[in-house]
Short mmCIF file of all heavy atoms in Angstrom, two decimals:
data_model
loop_
_atom_site.label_atom_id
_atom_site.label_comp_id
_atom_site.label_asym_id
_atom_site.label_seq_id
_atom_site.Cartn_x
_atom_site.Cartn_y
_atom_site.Cartn_z
N GLY B 1546 57.53 114.90 27.63
CA GLY B 1546 56.58 114.28 28.55
C GLY B 1546 56.67 114.88 29.94
O GLY B 1546 55.67 114.95 30.66
N ILE B 1547 57.86 115.33 30.36
CA ILE B 1547 58.00 115.89 31.70
C ILE B 1547 57.65 117.37 31.74
O ILE B 1547 56.91 117.83 32.61
CB ILE B 1547 59.46 115.72 32.20
CG1 ILE B 1547 59.77 114.23 32.36
CG2 ILE B 1547 59.65 116.42 33.53
CD1 ILE B 1547 61.19 113.99 32.74
N THR B 1548 58.19 118.14 30.76
CA THR B 1548 58.01 119.59 30.87
C THR B 1548 56.58 120.02 30.58
O THR B 1548 56.11 121.02 31.12
CB THR B 1548 58.92 120.34 29.87
OG1 THR B 1548 58.71 119.80 28.58
CG2 THR B 1548 60.36 120.19 30.26
N MET B 1549 55.88 119.28 29.74
CA MET B 1549 54.53 119.70 29.37
C MET B 1549 53.61 119.83 30.59
O MET B 1549 53.02 120.89 30.79
CB MET B 1549 53.97 118.73 28.34
CG MET B 1549 52.84 119.26 27.54
SD MET B 1549 53.42 120.46 26.36
CE MET B 1549 53.83 119.42 25.00
N PRO B 1550 53.47 118.78 31.42
CA PRO B 1550 52.61 118.94 32.59
C PRO B 1550 53.12 120.01 33.57
O PRO B 1550 52.30 120.75 34.15
CB PRO B 1550 52.62 117.57 33.26
CG PRO B 1550 53.52 116.71 32.49
CD PRO B 1550 53.94 117.40 31.25
N ILE B 1551 54.44 120.13 33.72
CA ILE B 1551 54.95 121.15 34.65
C ILE B 1551 54.59 122.55 34.14
O ILE B 1551 54.10 123.40 34.89
CB ILE B 1551 56.48 121.03 34.81
CG1 ILE B 1551 56.81 119.69 35.45
CG2 ILE B 1551 57.02 122.17 35.66
CD1 ILE B 1551 58.27 119.48 35.67
N ASN B 1552 54.81 122.77 32.87
CA ASN B 1552 54.46 124.07 32.32
C ASN B 1552 52.96 124.31 32.37
O ASN B 1552 52.51 125.44 32.52
CB ASN B 1552 54.97 124.19 30.88
CG ASN B 1552 56.43 124.57 30.83
OD1 ASN B 1552 56.97 125.02 31.84
ND2 ASN B 1552 57.07 124.37 29.70
N TRP B 1553 52.19 123.25 32.25
CA TRP B 1553 50.74 123.41 32.37
C TRP B 1553 50.41 123.92 33.77
O TRP B 1553 49.61 124.85 33.93
CB TRP B 1553 50.02 122.08 32.12
CG TRP B 1553 48.54 122.23 32.12
CD1 TRP B 1553 47.76 122.55 31.05
CD2 TRP B 1553 47.66 122.11 33.24
NE1 TRP B 1553 46.46 122.63 31.42
CE2 TRP B 1553 46.36 122.37 32.76
CE3 TRP B 1553 47.83 121.82 34.59
CZ2 TRP B 1553 45.24 122.34 33.59
CZ3 TRP B 1553 46.73 121.79 35.41
CH2 TRP B 1553 45.45 122.05 34.91
N LEU B 1554 51.03 123.29 34.78
CA LEU B 1554 50.78 123.72 36.16
C LEU B 1554 51.20 125.18 36.35
O LEU B 1554 50.45 125.98 36.92
CB LEU B 1554 51.55 122.84 37.14
CG LEU B 1554 50.96 121.45 37.36
CD1 LEU B 1554 51.86 120.62 38.24
CD2 LEU B 1554 49.57 121.58 38.01
N ILE B 1555 52.38 125.53 35.86
CA ILE B 1555 52.84 126.91 36.00
C ILE B 1555 51.86 127.86 35.36
O ILE B 1555 51.48 128.88 35.94
CB ILE B 1555 54.23 127.04 35.33
CG1 ILE B 1555 55.24 126.30 36.17
CG2 ILE B 1555 54.59 128.50 35.14
CD1 ILE B 1555 56.62 126.84 36.09
N ASN B 1556 51.42 127.51 34.17
CA ASN B 1556 50.53 128.41 33.46
C ASN B 1556 49.19 128.58 34.16
O ASN B 1556 48.69 129.69 34.26
CB ASN B 1556 50.32 127.89 32.04
CG ASN B 1556 49.73 128.94 31.14
OD1 ASN B 1556 50.22 130.06 31.10
ND2 ASN B 1556 48.67 128.60 30.45
N THR B 1557 48.63 127.49 34.68
CA THR B 1557 47.31 127.63 35.30
C THR B 1557 47.39 128.09 36.75
O THR B 1557 46.58 128.88 37.19
CB THR B 1557 46.52 126.30 35.26
OG1 THR B 1557 47.44 125.25 35.14
CG2 THR B 1557 45.54 126.27 34.14
N VAL B 1558 48.38 127.59 37.50
CA VAL B 1558 48.41 127.91 38.92
C VAL B 1558 49.05 129.27 39.18
O VAL B 1558 48.55 130.06 39.98
CB VAL B 1558 49.16 126.81 39.71
CG1 VAL B 1558 49.23 127.17 41.17
CG2 VAL B 1558 48.46 125.48 39.52
N LEU B 1559 50.15 129.55 38.49
CA LEU B 1559 50.86 130.79 38.78
C LEU B 1559 50.44 131.96 37.90
O LEU B 1559 50.24 133.07 38.38
CB LEU B 1559 52.37 130.59 38.62
CG LEU B 1559 53.07 129.64 39.59
CD1 LEU B 1559 54.54 129.57 39.26
CD2 LEU B 1559 52.87 130.11 41.01
N LEU B 1560 50.29 131.70 36.61
CA LEU B 1560 50.21 132.83 35.69
C LEU B 1560 48.81 133.28 35.34
O LEU B 1560 48.60 134.43 35.00
CB LEU B 1560 50.96 132.49 34.39
CG LEU B 1560 52.45 132.19 34.54
CD1 LEU B 1560 53.06 131.89 33.20
CD2 LEU B 1560 53.15 133.37 35.19
N SER B 1561 47.83 132.36 35.41
CA SER B 1561 46.53 132.76 34.90
C SER B 1561 45.80 133.66 35.90
O SER B 1561 46.17 133.76 37.06
CB SER B 1561 45.67 131.53 34.61
OG SER B 1561 45.01 131.13 35.77
N GLU B 1562 44.76 134.30 35.39
CA GLU B 1562 44.02 135.26 36.20
C GLU B 1562 43.34 134.59 37.40
O GLU B 1562 43.11 135.20 38.42
CB GLU B 1562 42.98 135.94 35.32
CG GLU B 1562 42.79 137.38 35.65
CD GLU B 1562 42.17 138.12 34.48
OE1 GLU B 1562 42.50 137.81 33.31
OE2 GLU B 1562 41.35 138.99 34.72
N ASN B 1563 43.02 133.29 37.25
CA ASN B 1563 42.37 132.56 38.35
C ASN B 1563 43.38 131.84 39.22
O ASN B 1563 43.03 131.04 40.07
CB ASN B 1563 41.38 131.53 37.78
CG ASN B 1563 40.49 132.15 36.75
OD1 ASN B 1563 40.01 133.27 36.93
ND2 ASN B 1563 40.28 131.45 35.64
N GLY B 1564 44.67 132.09 39.00
CA GLY B 1564 45.71 131.42 39.76
C GLY B 1564 45.89 132.02 41.14
O GLY B 1564 45.09 132.83 41.60
N ILE B 1565 46.98 131.61 41.84
CA ILE B 1565 47.11 132.03 43.24
C ILE B 1565 47.43 133.51 43.38
O ILE B 1565 47.16 134.10 44.41
CB ILE B 1565 48.18 131.19 43.99
CG1 ILE B 1565 49.47 131.14 43.19
CG2 ILE B 1565 47.68 129.79 44.29
CD1 ILE B 1565 50.60 130.51 43.97
N PHE B 1566 47.98 134.15 42.36
CA PHE B 1566 48.28 135.57 42.49
C PHE B 1566 47.10 136.45 42.09
O PHE B 1566 47.08 137.64 42.36
CB PHE B 1566 49.51 135.95 41.66
CG PHE B 1566 50.77 135.34 42.19
CD1 PHE B 1566 51.49 134.43 41.44
CD2 PHE B 1566 51.22 135.67 43.46
CE1 PHE B 1566 52.64 133.86 41.94
CE2 PHE B 1566 52.37 135.11 43.97
CZ PHE B 1566 53.09 134.20 43.21
N GLY B 1567 46.14 135.83 41.40
CA GLY B 1567 44.92 136.56 41.09
C GLY B 1567 45.05 137.62 40.02
O GLY B 1567 44.10 138.35 39.75
N THR B 1568 46.23 137.77 39.43
CA THR B 1568 46.34 138.72 38.32
C THR B 1568 46.91 138.01 37.10
O THR B 1568 47.48 136.94 37.20
CB THR B 1568 47.28 139.90 38.65
OG1 THR B 1568 48.46 139.36 39.21
CG2 THR B 1568 46.63 140.88 39.58
N ASP B 1569 46.74 138.67 35.99
CA ASP B 1569 47.18 138.11 34.72
C ASP B 1569 48.68 138.32 34.57
O ASP B 1569 49.14 139.43 34.31
CB ASP B 1569 46.41 138.80 33.60
CG ASP B 1569 46.78 138.22 32.26
OD1 ASP B 1569 47.24 137.06 32.24
OD2 ASP B 1569 46.60 138.90 31.25
N LEU B 1570 49.45 137.25 34.77
CA LEU B 1570 50.91 137.38 34.69
C LEU B 1570 51.45 136.72 33.44
O LEU B 1570 52.61 136.34 33.38
CB LEU B 1570 51.55 136.74 35.92
CG LEU B 1570 51.32 137.44 37.25
CD1 LEU B 1570 51.87 136.62 38.39
CD2 LEU B 1570 51.98 138.81 37.25
N THR B 1571 50.60 136.57 32.43
CA THR B 1571 51.03 135.78 31.28
C THR B 1571 52.23 136.37 30.56
O THR B 1571 52.87 135.67 29.79
CB THR B 1571 49.89 135.62 30.26
OG1 THR B 1571 49.23 136.85 30.16
CG2 THR B 1571 48.93 134.54 30.68
N PHE B 1572 52.55 137.64 30.82
CA PHE B 1572 53.73 138.19 30.14
C PHE B 1572 55.02 137.57 30.65
O PHE B 1572 56.06 137.74 30.05
CB PHE B 1572 53.78 139.72 30.27
CG PHE B 1572 53.86 140.22 31.68
CD1 PHE B 1572 55.09 140.47 32.24
CD2 PHE B 1572 52.71 140.42 32.42
CE1 PHE B 1572 55.17 140.93 33.54
CE2 PHE B 1572 52.79 140.87 33.71
CZ PHE B 1572 54.02 141.12 34.28
N LEU B 1573 54.95 136.83 31.76
CA LEU B 1573 56.14 136.14 32.26
C LEU B 1573 56.23 134.72 31.72
O LEU B 1573 57.11 133.95 32.10
CB LEU B 1573 56.13 136.11 33.79
CG LEU B 1573 56.30 137.46 34.47
CD1 LEU B 1573 56.16 137.32 35.97
CD2 LEU B 1573 57.66 138.04 34.13
#
Side-chain angles (χ1 to χ4, degrees):
Chain B
I1547 295 175
T1548 53
M1549 200 73 87
I1551 296 181
N1552 279 344
W1553 185 87
L1554 285 175
I1555 289 208
N1556 195 49
T1557 23
V1558 178
L1559 294 180
L1560 299 181
S1561 86
E1562 217 159 323
N1563 312 318
I1565 50 172
F1566 292 116
T1568 47
D1569 182 23
L1570 291 174
T1571 41
F1572 61 93
L1573 292 175

